[in-house]
Amino acid sequence: MVNLTAIKNLKKSFSFVPLKQPFNQRKELSFEEEQIQVLIEIGHKLKMFRDKHSICLERVAVVTMIRINLLEAIEEGNLEQLPEPVYIQGMIKRYADAMGLDGEKLANLFPTVKTQEITKKSFPNVSMLHLRPYHLYFLYVLLVILSVRLLPHLITGSDILAREKGITNSEKQQYQAENQRDLSAQASLVNTKTEQKYSDKTTAEKPEKLQDKQPVVLSVIVKEESWVSIEIDGKIAFEGTLAQGTQKTWSAQKQLVFFAGNAGGILIPINNLQNMQLGKPGEVKEVVFTPTNTKISQSK
């Protein structure tokens, strides 16, 4: 193990070799070039301190738990063999602490991307932010000019808003009432026309529908015995002799044909009137009933 106590006693007599040039006097380098240059100087210091106290690199690797090839890369300033800058800082700190040096101070000398960005953001161009008295005077004059130019527009806008509010408050109800009356009148007129049109159409179609749907009904009263035949919508519904006093009723959808062998003994309604005698006694007659017409003919 490394004798840390002896190293601490000896470090008081050891002084760092001064840097060739302070950082603020160096020429502007790229960030990577600056990292390499600083790493070379730090590695050179650590190697000189280690050689002076005859500490082998294998012991440093055991104490710091850093691989030997990485320790060699730090001492030689070989940035390509090392990991990210943040990890390089950590290894420098552990290496310097193992030697009894101020590892944190030495590690902070190695720049990282984060350090560079913070430096750029922390030191802006102060000359650009410096305001002189005539700048303030110019801003004051500009504000006065803008106020004078915008004031008439603001007053005019306020008057317009006031007038609009006045119109809204005083005439809104009257306008709504008139508009409502107009809408009611128009709706009433449309409804009247619609009802009239519908009524005319219904009146025109009603007789036809009634005629189409109204069935033909025939009620027969037999005063004297008679032979009859009933044909309903083209089909024979009854044939036979009806005795005196018989009352019969038949109905058809389109046509009803009544045939009587003794017309004088049959009473039927003729042309929607009261029951009338169909003919003379012993006369043969045929009556055709439809929804719109009644036709009586005498059979030969």
Side-chain angles (χ1 to χ4, degrees), residues 161-171:
L161 290 175
R163 291 175 186 176
E164 290 181 352
K165 289 183 179 179
I167 291 173
T168 303
N169 295 329
S170 61
E171 298 181 1

Side-chain angles (χ1 to χ4, degrees), residues 256-284:
L256 191 150
V257 181
F258 179 77
F259 184 85
N262 181 13
I266 301 298
L267 296 177
I268 61 174
I270 305 297
N271 296 328
N272 296 326
L273 300 176
Q274 293 181 355
N275 291 335
M276 298 179 62
Q277 189 172 323
L278 183 56
K280 296 178 182 180
E283 188 177 16
V284 178

Side-chain angles (χ1 to χ4, degrees), residues 57-67 71 91-99:
L57 201 60
E58 286 78 6
R59 290 190 177 184
V60 178
V62 172
V63 175
T64 60
M65 292 183 293
I66 300 173
R67 295 198 305 270
L71 293 174
M91 288 188 291
I92 292 172
K93 182 178 183 301
R94 287 158 60 186
Y95 189 174
D97 289 339
M99 296 291 101

Side-chain angles (χ1 to χ4, degrees), residues 214-220 249-253 256 269 272 289-291:
Q214 186 176 3
V216 180
V217 180
L218 174 63
S219 297
V220 176
T249 302
W250 293 274
S251 64
Q253 294 297 326
L256 191 150
N272 296 326
F289 297 91
T290 61

Side-chain angles (χ1 to χ4, degrees), residues 15-61:
S15 59
F16 287 109
V17 177
L19 297 177
K20 295 179 181 179
Q21 284 185 338
F23 285 106
N24 56 357
Q25 295 180 0
R26 296 179 184 177
K27 296 181 180 180
E28 291 187 4
L29 302 175
S30 66
F31 180 67
E32 186 175 355
E33 292 174 347
E34 183 180 356
Q35 282 184 320
I36 294 173
Q37 186 171 350
V38 174
L39 183 61
I40 291 173
E41 294 176 357
I42 293 174
H44 180 70
K45 289 180 180 181
L46 293 172
K47 188 175 186 304
M48 285 183 59
F49 188 84
R50 182 175 63 80
D51 292 341
K52 184 174 182 179
H53 297 283
S54 302
I55 302 172
C56 65
L57 201 60
E58 286 78 6
R59 290 190 177 184
V60 178

